Short mmCIF file of all heavy atoms in Angstrom, two decimals:
data_model
loop_
_atom_site.label_atom_id
_atom_site.label_comp_id
_atom_site.label_asym_id
_atom_site.label_seq_id
_atom_site.Cartn_x
_atom_site.Cartn_y
_atom_site.Cartn_z
N GLU A 109 -45.16 -9.96 -24.69
CA GLU A 109 -45.40 -8.71 -23.96
C GLU A 109 -44.09 -8.06 -23.52
O GLU A 109 -43.96 -6.84 -23.55
CB GLU A 109 -46.31 -8.97 -22.76
CG GLU A 109 -47.75 -9.29 -23.15
CD GLU A 109 -48.58 -9.83 -21.99
OE1 GLU A 109 -47.99 -10.32 -21.00
OE2 GLU A 109 -49.82 -9.78 -22.08
N ASN A 110 -43.12 -8.88 -23.11
CA ASN A 110 -41.81 -8.34 -22.75
C ASN A 110 -41.17 -7.64 -23.94
O ASN A 110 -40.58 -6.56 -23.80
CB ASN A 110 -40.89 -9.45 -22.25
CG ASN A 110 -40.90 -9.61 -20.73
OD1 ASN A 110 -40.23 -8.87 -20.02
ND2 ASN A 110 -41.68 -10.56 -20.25
N LEU A 111 -41.28 -8.23 -25.12
CA LEU A 111 -40.72 -7.62 -26.32
C LEU A 111 -41.42 -6.30 -26.63
O LEU A 111 -40.78 -5.32 -27.02
CB LEU A 111 -40.83 -8.57 -27.51
CG LEU A 111 -39.93 -9.80 -27.47
CD1 LEU A 111 -40.24 -10.73 -28.64
CD2 LEU A 111 -38.46 -9.40 -27.51
N SER A 112 -42.74 -6.27 -26.46
CA SER A 112 -43.49 -5.05 -26.79
C SER A 112 -43.13 -3.90 -25.86
O SER A 112 -43.21 -2.73 -26.25
CB SER A 112 -45.00 -5.32 -26.74
OG SER A 112 -45.44 -5.57 -25.42
N VAL A 113 -42.70 -4.22 -24.63
CA VAL A 113 -42.26 -3.18 -23.70
C VAL A 113 -41.07 -2.42 -24.27
O VAL A 113 -40.90 -1.22 -24.01
CB VAL A 113 -41.90 -3.80 -22.33
CG1 VAL A 113 -41.18 -2.78 -21.44
CG2 VAL A 113 -43.16 -4.30 -21.63
N GLY A 114 -40.26 -3.09 -25.06
CA GLY A 114 -39.07 -2.46 -25.62
C GLY A 114 -39.34 -1.55 -26.80
O GLY A 114 -38.42 -0.84 -27.24
N LEU A 115 -40.55 -1.57 -27.35
CA LEU A 115 -40.84 -0.75 -28.51
C LEU A 115 -40.68 0.74 -28.20
O LEU A 115 -41.04 1.20 -27.12
CB LEU A 115 -42.27 -1.01 -28.99
CG LEU A 115 -42.52 -2.36 -29.66
CD1 LEU A 115 -44.02 -2.59 -29.82
CD2 LEU A 115 -41.81 -2.43 -31.01
N PRO A 116 -40.15 1.52 -29.15
CA PRO A 116 -40.03 2.96 -28.93
C PRO A 116 -41.39 3.61 -28.95
O PRO A 116 -42.35 3.05 -29.51
CB PRO A 116 -39.17 3.43 -30.12
CG PRO A 116 -39.42 2.41 -31.18
CD PRO A 116 -39.62 1.10 -30.46
N PRO A 117 -41.54 4.79 -28.35
CA PRO A 117 -42.82 5.50 -28.41
C PRO A 117 -43.27 5.70 -29.85
O PRO A 117 -42.45 5.82 -30.76
CB PRO A 117 -42.50 6.84 -27.73
CG PRO A 117 -41.33 6.55 -26.86
CD PRO A 117 -40.53 5.52 -27.58
N SER A 118 -44.56 5.72 -30.06
CA SER A 118 -45.12 5.87 -31.40
C SER A 118 -44.56 7.10 -32.10
O SER A 118 -44.50 8.19 -31.53
CB SER A 118 -46.64 5.99 -31.32
OG SER A 118 -47.19 6.17 -32.59
N GLY A 119 -44.11 6.88 -33.33
CA GLY A 119 -43.63 8.00 -34.14
C GLY A 119 -42.18 8.35 -33.90
O GLY A 119 -41.64 9.24 -34.56
N ARG A 120 -41.49 7.65 -32.99
CA ARG A 120 -40.08 7.98 -32.71
C ARG A 120 -39.19 6.84 -33.17
O ARG A 120 -39.41 5.69 -32.84
CB ARG A 120 -39.90 8.20 -31.20
CG ARG A 120 -38.59 8.92 -30.83
CD ARG A 120 -37.42 7.97 -30.67
NE ARG A 120 -37.63 7.01 -29.60
CZ ARG A 120 -36.89 5.94 -29.41
NH1 ARG A 120 -35.90 5.67 -30.22
NH2 ARG A 120 -37.15 5.10 -28.43
N THR A 121 -38.21 7.16 -33.98
CA THR A 121 -37.23 6.18 -34.44
C THR A 121 -35.84 6.73 -34.24
O THR A 121 -35.55 7.84 -34.67
CB THR A 121 -37.43 5.84 -35.93
OG1 THR A 121 -38.77 5.35 -36.11
CG2 THR A 121 -36.44 4.77 -36.38
N ASN A 122 -34.98 6.00 -33.58
CA ASN A 122 -33.60 6.45 -33.38
C ASN A 122 -32.88 6.53 -34.71
O ASN A 122 -33.06 5.68 -35.58
CB ASN A 122 -32.84 5.49 -32.46
CG ASN A 122 -33.41 5.50 -31.06
OD1 ASN A 122 -33.86 6.53 -30.58
ND2 ASN A 122 -33.40 4.35 -30.41
N ALA A 123 -32.05 7.53 -34.87
CA ALA A 123 -31.22 7.62 -36.07
C ALA A 123 -30.26 6.44 -36.09
O ALA A 123 -29.59 6.17 -35.11
CB ALA A 123 -30.46 8.93 -36.10
N PRO A 124 -30.19 5.69 -37.19
CA PRO A 124 -29.29 4.54 -37.23
C PRO A 124 -27.85 5.00 -37.17
O PRO A 124 -27.49 6.07 -37.64
CB PRO A 124 -29.61 3.89 -38.59
CG PRO A 124 -30.15 5.00 -39.42
CD PRO A 124 -30.90 5.89 -38.45
N SER A 125 -27.00 4.15 -36.58
CA SER A 125 -25.58 4.47 -36.48
C SER A 125 -24.85 4.16 -37.76
O SER A 125 -23.68 4.47 -37.91
CB SER A 125 -24.96 3.68 -35.32
OG SER A 125 -25.12 2.29 -35.52
N SER A 126 -25.51 3.50 -38.71
CA SER A 126 -24.89 3.16 -39.97
C SER A 126 -25.96 2.96 -41.01
O SER A 126 -27.11 2.64 -40.69
CB SER A 126 -24.07 1.87 -39.82
OG SER A 126 -23.75 1.32 -41.08
N ALA A 127 -25.59 3.16 -42.26
CA ALA A 127 -26.55 2.93 -43.34
C ALA A 127 -26.97 1.47 -43.41
O ALA A 127 -27.99 1.14 -44.01
CB ALA A 127 -25.93 3.36 -44.67
N ARG A 128 -26.19 0.58 -42.78
CA ARG A 128 -26.52 -0.85 -42.79
C ARG A 128 -27.65 -1.16 -41.82
O ARG A 128 -28.27 -2.22 -41.89
CB ARG A 128 -25.30 -1.68 -42.41
CG ARG A 128 -24.18 -1.62 -43.42
CD ARG A 128 -22.94 -2.31 -42.86
NE ARG A 128 -22.38 -1.56 -41.74
CZ ARG A 128 -21.47 -2.05 -40.91
NH1 ARG A 128 -21.05 -3.28 -41.07
NH2 ARG A 128 -21.00 -1.32 -39.94
N ALA A 129 -27.93 -0.27 -40.90
CA ALA A 129 -28.91 -0.56 -39.86
C ALA A 129 -30.31 -0.64 -40.45
O ALA A 129 -30.67 0.11 -41.33
CB ALA A 129 -28.85 0.51 -38.77
N LYS A 130 -31.10 -1.57 -39.95
CA LYS A 130 -32.50 -1.65 -40.33
C LYS A 130 -33.28 -2.02 -39.07
O LYS A 130 -32.72 -2.57 -38.12
CB LYS A 130 -32.72 -2.69 -41.42
CG LYS A 130 -32.34 -4.12 -41.05
CD LYS A 130 -32.59 -5.06 -42.21
CE LYS A 130 -32.25 -6.50 -41.83
NZ LYS A 130 -32.51 -7.45 -42.93
N PRO A 131 -34.57 -1.70 -39.03
CA PRO A 131 -35.33 -1.92 -37.79
C PRO A 131 -35.37 -3.39 -37.39
O PRO A 131 -35.43 -4.30 -38.22
CB PRO A 131 -36.73 -1.42 -38.17
CG PRO A 131 -36.52 -0.48 -39.30
CD PRO A 131 -35.36 -1.04 -40.06
N TRP A 132 -35.30 -3.61 -36.08
CA TRP A 132 -35.45 -4.95 -35.52
C TRP A 132 -36.93 -5.25 -35.34
O TRP A 132 -37.70 -4.39 -34.93
CB TRP A 132 -34.73 -5.05 -34.18
CG TRP A 132 -33.27 -4.81 -34.27
CD1 TRP A 132 -32.63 -3.60 -34.18
CD2 TRP A 132 -32.23 -5.78 -34.48
NE1 TRP A 132 -31.27 -3.77 -34.32
CE2 TRP A 132 -30.99 -5.09 -34.49
CE3 TRP A 132 -32.24 -7.17 -34.63
CZ2 TRP A 132 -29.78 -5.75 -34.67
CZ3 TRP A 132 -31.03 -7.83 -34.80
CH2 TRP A 132 -29.82 -7.12 -34.82
N ARG A 133 -37.33 -6.50 -35.62
CA ARG A 133 -38.74 -6.88 -35.54
C ARG A 133 -38.90 -8.15 -34.71
O ARG A 133 -38.00 -9.00 -34.68
CB ARG A 133 -39.32 -7.11 -36.94
CG ARG A 133 -39.15 -5.98 -37.92
CD ARG A 133 -39.87 -6.30 -39.24
NE ARG A 133 -39.63 -7.67 -39.66
CZ ARG A 133 -38.57 -8.07 -40.37
NH1 ARG A 133 -37.64 -7.18 -40.72
NH2 ARG A 133 -38.43 -9.33 -40.72
N GLU A 134 -40.07 -8.27 -34.12
CA GLU A 134 -40.37 -9.45 -33.30
C GLU A 134 -40.24 -10.74 -34.10
O GLU A 134 -39.67 -11.73 -33.62
CB GLU A 134 -41.78 -9.32 -32.73
CG GLU A 134 -42.25 -10.52 -31.94
CD GLU A 134 -43.72 -10.43 -31.57
OE1 GLU A 134 -44.05 -9.71 -30.60
OE2 GLU A 134 -44.53 -11.08 -32.26
N ASP A 135 -40.74 -10.74 -35.33
CA ASP A 135 -40.75 -11.99 -36.09
C ASP A 135 -39.34 -12.49 -36.40
O ASP A 135 -39.11 -13.70 -36.45
CB ASP A 135 -41.57 -11.84 -37.37
CG ASP A 135 -41.04 -10.76 -38.30
OD1 ASP A 135 -40.37 -9.84 -37.81
OD2 ASP A 135 -41.32 -10.84 -39.50
N GLU A 136 -38.39 -11.59 -36.63
CA GLU A 136 -37.04 -12.07 -36.90
C GLU A 136 -36.37 -12.65 -35.65
O GLU A 136 -35.58 -13.58 -35.74
CB GLU A 136 -36.18 -10.99 -37.54
CG GLU A 136 -35.82 -9.82 -36.66
CD GLU A 136 -34.94 -8.82 -37.41
OE1 GLU A 136 -33.94 -9.24 -38.04
OE2 GLU A 136 -35.27 -7.62 -37.36
N PHE A 137 -36.71 -12.12 -34.48
CA PHE A 137 -36.19 -12.72 -33.25
C PHE A 137 -36.76 -14.13 -33.08
O PHE A 137 -36.05 -15.05 -32.66
CB PHE A 137 -36.54 -11.86 -32.04
CG PHE A 137 -35.82 -10.54 -31.99
CD1 PHE A 137 -36.51 -9.37 -31.72
CD2 PHE A 137 -34.46 -10.47 -32.23
CE1 PHE A 137 -35.85 -8.15 -31.68
CE2 PHE A 137 -33.79 -9.26 -32.19
CZ PHE A 137 -34.48 -8.10 -31.92
N PHE A 138 -38.03 -14.30 -33.41
CA PHE A 138 -38.63 -15.63 -33.32
C PHE A 138 -38.01 -16.58 -34.34
O PHE A 138 -37.89 -17.79 -34.08
CB PHE A 138 -40.14 -15.54 -33.51
CG PHE A 138 -40.88 -14.97 -32.33
CD1 PHE A 138 -42.15 -14.43 -32.47
CD2 PHE A 138 -40.30 -14.97 -31.06
CE1 PHE A 138 -42.84 -13.92 -31.38
CE2 PHE A 138 -40.98 -14.45 -29.96
CZ PHE A 138 -42.25 -13.93 -30.12
N ASP A 139 -37.61 -16.05 -35.49
CA ASP A 139 -36.92 -16.89 -36.48
C ASP A 139 -35.53 -17.28 -35.98
O ASP A 139 -35.08 -18.42 -36.18
CB ASP A 139 -36.79 -16.15 -37.81
CG ASP A 139 -38.11 -16.02 -38.55
OD1 ASP A 139 -39.04 -16.80 -38.23
OD2 ASP A 139 -38.23 -15.15 -39.42
N MET A 140 -34.83 -16.33 -35.33
CA MET A 140 -33.50 -16.61 -34.81
C MET A 140 -33.54 -17.60 -33.65
O MET A 140 -32.66 -18.46 -33.51
CB MET A 140 -32.84 -15.31 -34.31
CG MET A 140 -32.45 -14.32 -35.36
SD MET A 140 -31.72 -12.86 -34.53
CE MET A 140 -31.62 -11.72 -35.91
N PHE A 141 -34.57 -17.46 -32.80
CA PHE A 141 -34.63 -18.23 -31.56
C PHE A 141 -35.98 -18.94 -31.45
O PHE A 141 -36.92 -18.43 -30.85
CB PHE A 141 -34.40 -17.31 -30.36
CG PHE A 141 -33.17 -16.47 -30.50
CD1 PHE A 141 -33.26 -15.10 -30.68
CD2 PHE A 141 -31.91 -17.05 -30.50
CE1 PHE A 141 -32.14 -14.32 -30.83
CE2 PHE A 141 -30.78 -16.27 -30.67
CZ PHE A 141 -30.89 -14.91 -30.84
N PRO A 142 -36.08 -20.11 -32.07
CA PRO A 142 -37.35 -20.85 -32.08
C PRO A 142 -37.92 -21.09 -30.68
O PRO A 142 -39.15 -21.17 -30.52
CB PRO A 142 -36.98 -22.16 -32.77
CG PRO A 142 -35.81 -21.81 -33.64
CD PRO A 142 -35.04 -20.79 -32.84
N ASN A 143 -37.05 -21.23 -29.67
CA ASN A 143 -37.56 -21.45 -28.31
C ASN A 143 -38.41 -20.27 -27.86
O ASN A 143 -39.44 -20.46 -27.18
CB ASN A 143 -36.40 -21.65 -27.33
CG ASN A 143 -35.89 -23.07 -27.34
OD1 ASN A 143 -36.39 -23.90 -28.10
ND2 ASN A 143 -34.91 -23.37 -26.51
N LEU A 144 -38.00 -19.04 -28.20
CA LEU A 144 -38.80 -17.88 -27.83
C LEU A 144 -40.13 -17.88 -28.57
O LEU A 144 -41.16 -17.50 -28.01
CB LEU A 144 -38.03 -16.59 -28.12
CG LEU A 144 -36.80 -16.29 -27.26
CD1 LEU A 144 -36.24 -14.92 -27.60
CD2 LEU A 144 -37.13 -16.37 -25.76
N LYS A 145 -40.11 -18.31 -29.82
CA LYS A 145 -41.36 -18.35 -30.59
C LYS A 145 -42.32 -19.37 -29.99
O LYS A 145 -43.52 -19.09 -29.83
CB LYS A 145 -41.06 -18.71 -32.04
CG LYS A 145 -42.30 -18.71 -32.93
CD LYS A 145 -41.92 -18.97 -34.38
CE LYS A 145 -43.16 -18.89 -35.27
NZ LYS A 145 -42.81 -19.09 -36.71
N ARG A 146 -41.78 -20.55 -29.63
CA ARG A 146 -42.63 -21.59 -29.05
C ARG A 146 -43.22 -21.14 -27.72
O ARG A 146 -44.31 -21.58 -27.33
CB ARG A 146 -41.84 -22.88 -28.86
CG ARG A 146 -41.60 -23.65 -30.15
CD ARG A 146 -41.09 -25.05 -29.85
NE ARG A 146 -39.76 -25.03 -29.27
CZ ARG A 146 -38.64 -25.08 -29.99
NH1 ARG A 146 -38.70 -25.14 -31.31
NH2 ARG A 146 -37.46 -25.06 -29.40
N ARG A 147 -42.51 -20.25 -27.03
CA ARG A 147 -42.94 -19.83 -25.71
C ARG A 147 -43.42 -18.37 -25.71
O ARG A 147 -43.38 -17.70 -24.69
CB ARG A 147 -41.80 -20.03 -24.72
CG ARG A 147 -41.14 -21.40 -24.81
CD ARG A 147 -40.26 -21.72 -23.65
NE ARG A 147 -41.04 -22.06 -22.48
CZ ARG A 147 -40.53 -22.36 -21.28
NH1 ARG A 147 -39.22 -22.36 -21.12
NH2 ARG A 147 -41.30 -22.64 -20.26
N ALA A 148 -43.87 -17.93 -26.87
CA ALA A 148 -44.26 -16.52 -27.03
C ALA A 148 -45.33 -16.09 -26.04
O ALA A 148 -45.36 -14.93 -25.61
CB ALA A 148 -44.74 -16.28 -28.46
N ASN A 149 -46.19 -17.00 -25.66
CA ASN A 149 -47.29 -16.66 -24.75
C ASN A 149 -47.07 -17.20 -23.34
O ASN A 149 -48.00 -17.25 -22.53
CB ASN A 149 -48.60 -17.18 -25.32
CG ASN A 149 -48.95 -16.53 -26.65
OD1 ASN A 149 -48.87 -15.30 -26.79
ND2 ASN A 149 -49.31 -17.33 -27.64
N VAL A 150 -45.81 -17.56 -23.05
CA VAL A 150 -45.44 -18.04 -21.71
C VAL A 150 -44.86 -16.88 -20.91
O VAL A 150 -44.16 -16.02 -21.46
CB VAL A 150 -44.40 -19.19 -21.83
CG1 VAL A 150 -43.86 -19.59 -20.46
CG2 VAL A 150 -45.02 -20.39 -22.53
N ALA A 151 -45.14 -16.86 -19.61
CA ALA A 151 -44.61 -15.79 -18.75
C ALA A 151 -43.08 -15.83 -18.73
O ALA A 151 -42.47 -16.91 -18.70
CB ALA A 151 -45.15 -15.94 -17.33
N GLY A 152 -42.48 -14.66 -18.74
CA GLY A 152 -41.03 -14.57 -18.76
C GLY A 152 -40.36 -15.27 -17.60
O GLY A 152 -39.25 -15.80 -17.74
N GLY A 153 -41.02 -15.28 -16.45
CA GLY A 153 -40.45 -15.91 -15.27
C GLY A 153 -40.32 -17.41 -15.39
O GLY A 153 -39.59 -18.04 -14.61
N ALA A 154 -41.02 -18.03 -16.37
CA ALA A 154 -40.97 -19.47 -16.56
C ALA A 154 -39.86 -19.89 -17.52
O ALA A 154 -39.63 -21.08 -17.70
CB ALA A 154 -42.31 -19.99 -17.07
N LEU A 155 -39.15 -18.93 -18.11
CA LEU A 155 -38.10 -19.25 -19.05
C LEU A 155 -36.82 -19.68 -18.33
O LEU A 155 -36.60 -19.33 -17.17
CB LEU A 155 -37.78 -18.03 -19.92
CG LEU A 155 -38.91 -17.41 -20.73
CD1 LEU A 155 -38.36 -16.25 -21.56
CD2 LEU A 155 -39.59 -18.44 -21.61
N SER A 156 -35.98 -20.41 -19.04
CA SER A 156 -34.67 -20.75 -18.49
C SER A 156 -33.80 -19.50 -18.46
O SER A 156 -34.12 -18.47 -19.07
CB SER A 156 -34.00 -21.81 -19.37
OG SER A 156 -33.64 -21.25 -20.63
N GLY A 157 -32.66 -19.59 -17.77
CA GLY A 157 -31.77 -18.44 -17.70
C GLY A 157 -31.29 -18.00 -19.07
O GLY A 157 -31.22 -16.80 -19.38
N GLY A 158 -30.96 -18.97 -19.92
CA GLY A 158 -30.50 -18.63 -21.26
C GLY A 158 -31.59 -17.97 -22.09
O GLY A 158 -31.35 -17.01 -22.83
N GLU A 159 -32.82 -18.48 -21.97
CA GLU A 159 -33.94 -17.89 -22.70
C GLU A 159 -34.23 -16.47 -22.21
O GLU A 159 -34.53 -15.58 -23.00
CB GLU A 159 -35.18 -18.77 -22.55
CG GLU A 159 -35.06 -20.11 -23.29
CD GLU A 159 -36.15 -21.10 -22.91
OE1 GLU A 159 -36.77 -20.94 -21.82
OE2 GLU A 159 -36.39 -22.04 -23.68
#
Side-chain angles (χ1 to χ4, degrees):
E109 289 168 340
N110 266 279
L111 290 174
S112 68
V113 169
L115 288 169
S118 178
R120 196 274 298 167
T121 302
N122 294 325
S125 59
S126 164
R128 293 172 293 167
K130 62 180 182 179
W132 299 88
R133 306 184 316 274
E134 176 188 281
D135 60 335
E136 68 179 311
F137 291 133
F138 286 160
D139 288 341
M140 290 179 190
F141 309 111
N143 278 2
L144 292 185
K145 183 176 183 178
R146 284 193 293 270
R147 312 194 76 182
N149 297 313
V150 173
L155 303 182
S156 69
E159 291 168 339

